[in-house]
Amino acid sequence: MRKLIDRLEQNHSLEKEEWIALISSESEKEYLFARARIASRKYYGNHVYARGLIEFTNYCRNNCYYCGIRHDNRNAARYRLSEEEILQCCENGYRIGFRTFVLQGGEDVYYTDERMVRLITKIKSLYPDCALTLSIGERPKESYKKFHDSGADRYLLRHETAVDPHYRMLHPEELTLRSRMDCLWNLKEAGFQVGCGFMAGSPGQTAECLAEDMLFITKFKPQMVGVGPFIPHHDTPFAGKTAGTLGQTLYMIGLLRLLKPDLLIPATTALGTICENGRELGILAGANVIMPNLSPKENRKKYELYDNKLCAGDEAAESFQHLKSRLDKIGYRFAEGRGDPAEGLGGMKCTT
C-alpha cells in the first residue's frame, strides 16, 4: 500500500483498480496521513481557513433518502431567515474576523433568481473584501451565470456519487446523476470556484464507488471537495442504516489531499458530531477548512440534515476563540483573508 500512496503523491492519479486496492485497505493510514500533512503544508503551511456558515433556509423541494430536511419530512420545523437576519449574520461574522460567508440551504423555490441576486448584491456591496459561497443545489445554467455575475465567488454542490446505480439508491427517480453532473460543469463554465463531494459510508457505497469518485474528481479538478461521514436521520428512509465511520472519512480526506494537494477540504461538523475531536483529526488527516456556524442560535437545531448535529458548541462562531486554541494545540492556526483556492503561503496571514 505504501507504494500506491507514494505513486499517488508523485503522480496525483491512479488507475481504477489501484484506487480500489488502496481504498479497500487502511493498513498504512498513519503513513498516508503523514504524507497528506506534508502535501497540505507545501501549499498552506499550518493554516486553516474559517468559513462563516449561514444556514438560511431548511425548506427543500427534494426528497433525498438520507436528508433530514427532505420535503416529505413533516416533523421538520421549517424556517427561512429574512434578508435582515442574513445580513445580521454577516455583520456578526465580519466583526469576529470572517472574510468568507457560505449561504447554505435546501432547494427552496421561494428563493427565486431575483431574490438571490438581490441578496448576493447586497452582501457584496456591504462586504466587498469578502468571498461569498453559495450552496443551494441544482439550478438552471442561466441562474448560475446570474449569481456569479452578481458577485458570488464559489459554489458547493456535492456530487454524492459518480456511479449511477448508487445515485439511484440515494435519491428519488426525479433526481438524476446526469443532471447533477451537468450542474457541476455549468458552474465551472459560469466562472465559479466549484466544490463537489460525497458522504463516506453512504448506503450502498463500495470501494468501486469511491474509486469512481476519485476518478471523477481527477477529471473535474474542483477547487474544493467535501467529504463527511454518512449519519442517518430518524425521519428518513435511511433511519436504520449503519453510519459511516470516522476512520473511513479520515482516510478519504488523506487520499484527496494527495490526489490534489491544493484542494480546500473541510473538516466537517459531521466529523465533530461522531467524534469529539473529529475536526482536529480531520485537519491532521489533510483537511484545511472549518466552517463555524453564524446562523441564529434558535435555527441551528432546525437545520438537521442528520441526527445529533452539533449546533451550540465549538462549531458556532461564539466559540471561535476556543476553536482557535484547539487548533493551536495540534500546531495549526486560522488564516486571515478570503482564503482563495491555491492562494499559497504568500497571500495569507496568521491570526493570533
Side-chain angles (χ1 to χ4, degrees):
M1 289 302 108
R2 285 199 179 199
K3 289 183 179 179
L4 285 179
I5 292 170
D6 291 342
R7 189 177 305 163
L8 176 60
E9 183 178 16
Q10 293 164 10
N11 300 332
H12 310 303
S13 68
L14 290 174
E15 299 298 323
K16 181 177 178 179
E17 293 307 315
E18 293 175 321
W19 275 121
I20 292 174
L22 189 53
I23 290 167
S24 299
S25 173
E26 298 181 16
S27 59
E28 295 291 345
K29 62 181 180 180
E30 294 306 325
Y31 179 72
L32 169 65
F33 297 156
R35 301 313 303 173
R37 287 193 294 272
I38 291 171
S40 181
R41 287 190 176 228
K42 286 181 180 179
Y43 281 86
Y44 301 109
N46 69 336
H47 299 92
V48 175
Y49 291 117
R51 314 298 201 201
L53 179 63
I54 305 170
E55 297 163 334
F56 71 108
T57 175
N58 72 345
Y59 283 86
C60 190
R61 63 183 177 180
N62 295 330
N63 265 315
C64 303
Y65 299 142
Y66 50 82
C67 184
I69 65 169
R70 64 197 307 266
H71 178 270
D72 284 355
N73 180 8
R74 304 307 178 192
N75 294 322
R78 303 294 178 176
Y79 74 91
R80 293 185 181 103
L81 299 186
S82 67
E83 181 176 299
E84 291 73 21
E85 288 173 315
I86 293 170
L87 294 177
Q88 185 62 56
C89 292
C90 293
E91 181 180 336
N92 295 341
Y94 194 87
R95 185 173 61 252
I96 294 170
F98 293 103
R99 294 299 179 267
T100 292
F101 303 122
V102 181
L103 289 181
Q104 179 174 292
E107 293 195 17
D108 186 351
V109 296
Y110 172 82
Y111 284 99
T112 61
D113 287 0
E114 290 72 25
R115 284 192 170 102
M116 286 306 305
V117 165
R118 185 173 67 246
L119 183 58
I120 292 165
T121 303
K122 186 72 171 179
I123 292 172
K124 292 296 286 190
S125 65
L126 290 171
Y127 306 101
D129 56 331
C130 293
L132 180 60
T133 301
L134 303 179
S135 182
I136 54 175
E138 295 187 15
R139 297 269 185 148
K141 182 178 182 179
E142 296 75 19
S143 300
Y144 290 149
K145 188 175 188 308
K146 290 178 185 177
F147 300 160
H148 186 263
D149 290 349
S150 300
D153 305 279
R154 306 167 185 155
Y155 204 106
L156 307 179
L157 181 66
R158 290 195 315 191
H159 68 281
E160 304 295 1
T161 176
V163 177
D164 189 69
H166 187 212
Y167 199 88
R168 295 267 51 80
M169 294 180 67
L170 302 176
H171 302 91
E173 62 181 10
E174 62 268 19
L175 300 177
T176 67
L177 179 59
R178 174 63 182 271
S179 175
R180 182 59 55 101
M181 293 299 188
D182 285 347
C183 283
L184 283 165
W185 288 106
N186 288 340
L187 285 164
K188 266 202 165 186
E189 185 178 334
F192 279 103
Q193 299 166 10
V194 184
C196 61
F198 54 90
M199 295 176 289
S202 62
Q205 189 180 72
T206 64
E208 183 175 0
C209 291
L210 289 168
E212 291 288 355
D213 287 325
M214 302 306 265
L215 291 172
F216 165 67
I217 290 165
T218 304
K219 178 181 179 181
F220 185 63
K221 296 181 174 59
Q223 285 77 33
M224 301 158 277
V225 176
V227 53
F230 162 71
I231 303 174
H233 187 284
H234 62 279
D235 281 325
T236 69
F238 286 171
K241 299 293 186 181
T242 302
T245 66
L246 174 71
Q248 184 182 34
T249 307
L250 297 177
Y251 194 71
M252 296 309 299
I253 288 173
L255 293 178
L256 285 166
R257 176 57 64 200
L258 294 188
L259 172 61
K260 197 171 185 295
D262 61 346
L263 272 177
L264 293 165
I265 305 174
T268 64
T269 300
L271 268 178
T273 297
I274 64 171
C275 178
E276 183 178 359
N277 64 334
R279 283 174 304 171
E280 290 98 318
L281 293 174
I283 298 298
L284 293 173
N288 62 340
V289 174
I290 291 180
M291 295 196 291
N293 201 325
L294 292 171
S295 307
K297 289 182 181 180
E298 61 270 20
N299 297 118
R300 291 174 193 162
K301 181 64 176 175
K302 298 175 185 177
Y303 199 85
E304 190 179 58
L305 306 183
Y306 48 84
D307 282 348
N308 303 314
K309 173 195 167 190
L310 291 176
C311 59
D314 284 345
E315 90 295 341
E318 296 89 338
S319 301
F320 196 40
Q321 290 301 324
H322 188 212
L323 194 52
K324 286 181 180 181
S325 68
R326 291 176 64 168
L327 284 180
D328 186 62
K329 288 178 181 178
I330 61 171
Y332 286 81
R333 296 187 175 195
F334 280 114
E336 293 180 351
R338 289 165 40 115
D340 287 300
E343 184 180 59
L345 296 176
M348 294 189 295
K349 298 178 181 178
C350 281
T351 59
T352 56

